[in-house]
Amino acid sequence: MPFNHNDHYHPLLLRQVPARARTALDVGCGTGKFTRKLAATGLAVEGIDPAREAIEAACATSPGKITYRCEDVTRAGLPEGHYDFISCLAALHHMPFETVTKLRRALAPGGVLAVLGLALPSSARDLGKWLLAAPLLNVPARLVVAAGDRLNGGGDHVAVAPVRDPDLSMAEVRRGSATLLPGSTVRTLLFWRYLLVYRAG
Ligand SMILES: C[S@@+](CC[C@H](N)C(=O)[O-])C[C@H]1O[C@@H](n2cnc3c(N)ncnc32)[C@H](O)[C@@H]1O
């Protein structure tokens, strides 16, 4: 797949990093594509993912700069009040939604949790975006990215991170966020994703 919908939103996610952030955790980091971008901004970054093959690929492409943990975040020990930024890209639907409570507790004061999530559509607005607009725009976007990849000598499309379909609907994500992450915002994005942002008080 030349046009990766998760990678497309990396710039949007990087814009959620607080100005004076120093520490970050990338949950469900997979092969570390976004983790490396976080580290490139100068943050001290940890990536966590239980998929050994993905973590090995991540370590091979980020020598020394990032601490990778081959662990299930729901069981892992996370320091409370520690991280200035926690990202979770296309991974929250692999675990119970309630995991956000653990991630919230791991945020330092003023820290931000940014989730790029997948969910089932539950409103006319979601359906309009994901059944009508997204498929139409996906085709030219794929062509543009594929052409760019060819010009750059080929893309980096080796996918070894596990994938799965979401179970929760957008309505359930909004309800869960309102309950577990008071003050958070949830926005439906164009390419079959949502953005959940929570800032710790
Ligand atoms: C679709 S991949 C996304 C990988 C990466 N974030 C990206 O955007 O390319 C989902 C990742 O979530 C990871 N994952 C699943 N359950 C997890 C858990 N309990 N704790 C941490 N990561 C988990 C999977 O191993 C997989 O690498």
Side-chain angles (χ1 to χ4, degrees):
M1 172 72 75
F3 177 45
N4 182 305
H5 303 126
N6 304 324
D7 298 357
H8 172 71
Y9 290 113
H10 285 182
L12 174 65
L13 286 149
L14 287 172
R15 288 200 294 277
Q16 312 307 318
V17 177
R20 278 186 279 279
R22 290 188 307 181
T23 52
L25 173 70
D26 189 24
V27 174
C29 61
T31 56
K33 225 170 171 185
F34 184 69
T35 328
R36 289 190 290 281
K37 291 185 185 175
L38 277 175
T41 69
L43 294 167
V45 183
E46 288 170 43
I48 185 164
D49 198 300
R52 181 157 301 281
E53 200 187 343
I55 286 291
E56 282 170 2
C59 289
T61 44
S62 341
K65 281 181 68 182
I66 300 167
T67 305
Y68 285 108
R69 298 168 59 176
C70 189
E71 282 181 88
D72 174 340
V73 75
T74 64
R75 296 163 186 239
L78 294 185
E80 297 208 355
H82 179 72
Y83 300 100
D84 298 311
F85 185 68
I86 299 180
S87 50
C88 184
L89 280 65
L92 187 59
H93 65 290
H94 286 248
M95 53 194 95
F97 188 84
E98 291 69 26
T99 308
V100 295
T101 300
K102 182 171 188 173
L103 303 183
R104 173 171 60 74
R105 291 189 181 132
L107 285 175
V112 168
L113 167 65
V115 176
L116 182 71
L118 279 76
L120 302 167
S122 54
S123 71
R125 193 183 168 91
D126 302 338
L127 285 167
K129 272 192 181 165
W130 290 349
L131 292 187
L132 298 174
L136 273 178
L137 291 167
N138 197 38
V139 175
R142 287 180 69 169
L143 293 173
V144 168
V145 172
D149 280 354
R150 262 197 300 277
L151 284 174
N152 291 322
D156 164 25
H157 303 307
V158 183
V160 290
V163 293
R164 60 167 288 176
D165 291 328
D167 303 318
L168 292 189
S169 68
M170 280 305 300
E172 289 169 310
V173 167
R174 287 183 196 284
R175 273 198 299 277
S177 304
T179 306
L180 302 174
L181 302 170
S184 59
T185 58
V186 180
R187 176 152 67 100
T188 309
L189 303 174
L190 177 61
F191 292 116
W192 302 285
R193 299 290 181 272
Y194 66 83
L195 176 67
L196 160 60
V197 178
Y198 170 78
R199 181 180 295 272

